[in-house]
Amino acid sequence: MNTTALDQIPAGPAGNPARGFDVAGRHVGAGFTLIAGPCTVESREQTEAVADAVAAGGASMLRGGAYKPRSSPYSFQGLGREGLEILAEAKRRTGLPVVTELLDVRDLEDVAAVADVIQVGARNMQNYPLLTELGRGDRAVLLKRGLAATLDELLLASEYVLKEGNERVMLCERGIRTHETAYRFTLDLLAVPALQERSSLPVLVDPSHAPGRRDWVEPMSLAAAAAGADGIIVEVHPDPENAICDGPQALAADRFGAYADRVRRAAAIGGRAPAIPGGPV
Ligand code: PEP
Ligand code: MN
């Protein structure tokens, strides 16, 4: 990686020790942000059930994909606009800000109409025209680390957004490809302190996609929170066995509250108070 390019990145605003920014009344960065929801929006009923469960469990935001990047073009690709409408309803119902992925810059207007945070998935981390457009917009961005990207490359990708004037970017470690085949990806938790040392952007962890199985999601969540991550984005489903996408790794919605409690305690060890004092993490 070209370190000269990194050296040219301007320093963050002086005298601003607080990491992060506001998203719909939640301060991301100062406290611990817990984003939860289904991998993909499947139906109104499914999304309502998850949204109600994660809201009751104290989640800070609702996640859910309407446009899904799938390895196979024959797999379910998401409900598209219909999925966005379902997310908008879930937002009205719970008051939770929505995090949803943008795959194609042509869908930016539709996605921005619903999303409080636009997710850029691992496969699009280096889609520079997409990042540039998001930099010109006013939606916060959750930028996931590419499957084989170094931290330098992730930071430089974030610069494509910041450079255009949009400073509300969170970085997200979600697991990288290594020689290990015992799980889907290797969750690189050292990315948390390493990114926090080099950037003032909030650093989140996705504990769902690396394990690829439910029983390993909580240990990774606790480790990330205790390591000082600024938040977690985790997959939850009301009926994981019958989920269309990423079911094996989805937490059951009826267990979310207990899970969130334990994550909250780990976040306190990691030095992160709830995002809203006295309120949900
Ligand atoms: C997702 O969040 O469902 C997803 C596809 O994530 P990633 O881009 O990290 O694979
Ligand atoms: Mn998923």
Side-chain angles (χ1 to χ4, degrees):
M1 186 61 220
N2 181 349
T3 48
T4 312
L6 275 174
D7 292 338
Q8 288 163 358
I9 294 174
N16 177 15
R19 185 181 291 283
F21 44 78
D22 182 88
V23 173
R26 272 91 173 152
H27 194 281
V28 179
F32 190 81
T33 299
L34 181 52
I35 304 170
C39 176
T40 187
V41 173
E42 297 171 14
S43 68
R44 189 160 272 110
E45 296 69 34
Q46 169 248 15
T47 302
E48 265 182 18
V50 186
D52 288 354
V54 304
S60 336
M61 300 187 203
L62 174 69
R63 66 150 285 155
Y67 297 93
K68 295 302 300 178
R70 305 304 301 280
S71 297
S72 165
Y74 307 109
S75 300
F76 177 69
Q77 303 286 311
L79 291 180
R81 282 187 189 184
E82 189 191 342
L84 293 175
E85 280 165 29
I86 293 173
L87 283 170
E89 268 178 39
K91 174 158 133 177
R92 281 193 291 273
R93 185 180 164 91
T94 59
L96 291 177
V98 162
V99 182
T100 195
E101 178 160 356
L102 175 68
L103 272 186
D104 185 325
V105 76
R106 289 171 293 187
D107 298 315
L108 175 55
E109 210 176 308
D110 290 342
V111 169
V114 174
D116 297 282
V117 178
I118 296 181
Q119 175 174 323
V120 176
R123 289 154 191 83
N124 257 329
M125 187 203 86
Q126 287 174 309
N127 183 337
Y128 300 128
L130 183 73
L131 297 173
T132 299
E133 275 314 305
L134 290 172
R136 293 175 181 157
D138 64 356
R139 288 292 176 270
V141 173
L142 187 150
L143 178 61
K144 290 189 142 193
R145 182 181 183 181
L147 272 54
T150 63
L151 297 185
D152 284 359
E153 287 163 338
L154 173 60
L155 287 167
L156 285 169
S158 76
E159 286 292 322
Y160 274 87
V161 182
L162 302 171
K163 176 173 170 285
E164 299 299 322
N166 185 351
E167 297 188 340
R168 294 193 305 155
V169 179
M170 30 189 140
L171 306 171
C172 182
E173 165 62 36
R174 48 79 72 204
I176 50 173
R177 187 144 279 162
T178 67
H179 59 273
E180 186 52 72
T181 55
Y183 24 79
R184 279 172 85 192
F185 300 97
T186 299
L187 190 65
D188 178 16
L189 288 180
L190 265 177
V192 173
L195 288 170
Q196 286 173 337
E197 183 179 280
R198 293 176 51 192
S199 160
S200 62
L201 302 175
V203 178
L204 275 68
V205 172
D206 168 346
S208 301
H209 288 86
R213 48 182 267 199
R214 185 170 312 119
D215 55 337
W216 290 347
V217 171
E218 181 166 328
M220 291 302 93
S221 306
L222 298 178
D230 296 294
I232 277 178
I233 175 164
V234 66
E235 293 188 344
V236 181
H237 196 281
D239 181 12
E241 304 309 318
N242 291 304
I244 292 180
C245 182
D246 284 347
Q249 71 199 27
L251 300 178
D254 60 2
R255 302 202 168 175
F256 180 76
Y259 160 87
D261 266 353
R262 293 189 288 270
V263 170
R264 212 175 268 126
R265 276 185 266 150
I269 291 169
R272 294 295 181 283
I276 299 172
V281 285

